[in-house]
Amino acid sequence: LAKTTQPISMDSYEGQEVNITCSHNNIATNDYITWYQQFPSQGPRFIIQGYKTKVTNEVASLFIPADRKSSTLSLPRVSLSDTAVYYCLVGRTGTASKLTFGTGTRLQVTL
Amino acid sequence: NAGVMQNPRHLVRRRGQEARLRCSPMKGHSHVYWYRQLPEEGLKFMVYLQKENIIDESGMPKERFSAEFPKEGPSILRIQQVVRGDSAAYFCASSPAVSNEQFFGPGTRLTVL
């Protein structure tokens, strides 16, 4: 399983764009990059998944460079309710099942 | 469509007792996963089940822990003779197929006294 490295914590003000970068130098050809969000006392929630280039949905964008050794989750104009832990996961989809969570990035949004 | 349901939400047991955690997957989902989360840590995979079958139990402790997903009814994670180190949040997730997009329940917080 590819190991991921993320910043332990980040701080932002409300209304700013937040970019969280994840390093995954040993990503395999068949691996996808998946991001989850977890609020205190809740289960994680799927945010976005991608394989290469750029993926965008109503919540976030995911940027993946050509070498795929890193990825950046972009949250536009964060609000206080975006305060959470964000996990970057790397692994195959459609085959093996288990998600491997690291310690994540704790994002704190303030006024 | 109700989300993944887990009960109880909080469970307190004394050392040596048994803990039973229940998980009802989302409607139409036949794949269930169990994870454990210790304070200030990420989730750790325990077991993956499909109806009546254990597919991957590589994250399950060898003793005292078992899981099932019967044809009818919820998935059960069973911990026998609990110890203080079993205190954690246990999350269940489900998916309609094998996928990295899994839908998580609210978790069961187990406290062992």
Side-chain angles (χ1 to χ4, degrees):
Chain A
L1 295 171
K3 179 179 167 53
T4 60
T5 303
Q6 314 174 223
I8 294 174
S9 63
M10 294 182 69
D11 295 308
S12 177
Y13 292 107
E14 200 173 39
Q16 290 188 324
E17 177 185 79
V18 171
N19 296 309
I20 305 174
T21 297
C22 177
S23 297
H24 28 79
N25 290 318
N26 297 323
I27 190 169
T29 303
N30 295 330
D31 285 343
Y32 280 72
I33 300 153
T34 310
W35 285 81
Y36 277 80
Q37 173 193 56
Q38 186 179 26
F39 297 114
S41 301
Q42 294 187 26
R45 182 175 76 105
F46 173 91
I47 301 176
I48 197 166
Q49 179 174 275
Y51 183 79
K52 62 180 180 180
T53 62
K54 177 184 175 182
V55 180
T56 297
N57 61 23
E58 64 277 5
V59 176
S61 295
L62 179 59
F63 299 92
I64 306 168
D67 66 5
R68 303 199 329 120
K69 293 184 183 300
S70 67
S71 59
T72 299
L73 175 72
S74 181
L75 305 172
R77 296 195 305 279
V78 295
S79 64
L80 296 176
S81 63
D82 292 317
T83 294
V85 178
Y86 293 81
Y87 295 97
C88 166
L89 289 73
V90 173
R92 292 186 299 172
T93 189
T95 54
S97 54
K98 52 191 171 189
L99 301 179
T100 301
F101 289 81
T103 51
T105 297
R106 189 173 299 274
L107 172 65
Q108 180 68 52
V109 181
T110 55
L111 292 173
Chain B
N1 187 4
V4 177
M5 311 279 281
Q6 289 188 252
N7 68 82
R9 293 293 309 276
H10 299 274
L11 182 61
V12 178
R13 285 288 178 266
R14 296 190 182 280
R15 281 180 297 170
Q17 291 185 320
E18 178 180 284
R20 277 180 177 253
L21 287 62
R22 294 175 184 77
C23 169
S24 296
M26 287 181 69
K27 187 176 180 181
H29 289 192
S30 59
H31 301 255
V32 167
Y33 317 82
W34 285 92
Y35 296 83
R36 176 165 62 177
Q37 185 174 33
L38 296 173
E40 306 302 318
E41 293 187 12
L43 282 74
K44 296 289 190 280
F45 168 81
M46 299 181 74
V47 62
Y48 160 46
L49 311 99
Q50 292 184 38
K51 280 290 187 180
E52 300 185 274
N53 292 305
I54 297 175
I55 307 302
D56 181 352
E57 56 181 347
S58 58
M60 287 278 271
K62 294 290 186 281
E63 298 177 348
R64 302 188 298 107
F65 284 72
S66 63
E68 62 177 11
F69 188 16
K71 186 177 180 181
E72 301 291 338
S75 175
I76 306 287
L77 179 67
R78 182 183 178 203
I79 311 172
Q80 295 178 290
Q81 299 173 334
V82 296
V83 301
R84 288 215 174 108
D86 296 333
S87 295
Y90 291 83
F91 290 96
C92 167
S94 72
S95 64
V98 179
S99 172
N100 286 356
E101 183 176 359
Q102 298 176 8
F103 297 81
F104 283 80
T108 293
R109 273 146 192 86
L110 172 66
T111 301
V112 180
L113 301 177

